[in-house]
Amino acid sequence: TVKGNTMAAPTNRGISAPAQGAVAITPSDTTNLDYPIRQLTINVAGTVSFIAHNGTTYTTGTLPAGSYPVEAIRIMSTNTTATGITGWY
């Protein structure tokens, strides 16, 4: 069970709606994001490990720099090698 900040984004909108804001992300194995994100952008290629809204942890393969649709409440520091991460909520 994941505990911590699991509040919804500022408004309840469909996943295909545009983002309302962005936040620089420092990966953490213990702290949830202030808002769940719907997409992330990485500036330097690498892997991303994240906890989804249902509590499941996923780790990507190596991703090139770019933006990716991801519903996440936490970006883990363990197994995340990508840097320059921005979360869109």
Side-chain angles (χ1 to χ4, degrees), residues 4-71:
N5 297 332
T6 56
M7 69 178 110
T11 61
N12 186 9
R13 302 170 321 131
I15 190 65
S16 61
Q20 289 185 300
V23 60
I25 294 177
T26 300
S28 170
D29 288 340
T30 58
T31 303
N32 285 351
L33 302 167
D34 288 337
Y35 298 110
I37 60 168
R38 60 179 45 229
Q39 180 169 307
L40 60 81
T41 299
I42 59 175
N43 291 325
V44 179
T47 59
V48 178
S49 182
F50 64 95
I51 298 179
H53 67 281
N54 66 1
T56 303
T57 301
Y58 298 94
T59 302
T60 69
T62 300
L63 300 171
S67 294
Y68 301 92
V70 171
E71 289 188 23

Side-chain angles (χ1 to χ4, degrees), residues 73-89:
I73 60 169
R74 183 184 305 164
I75 305 299
M76 305 290 291
S77 57
T78 300
N79 296 323
T80 294
T81 60
T83 59
I85 302 173
T86 300
W88 302 88
Y89 59 88

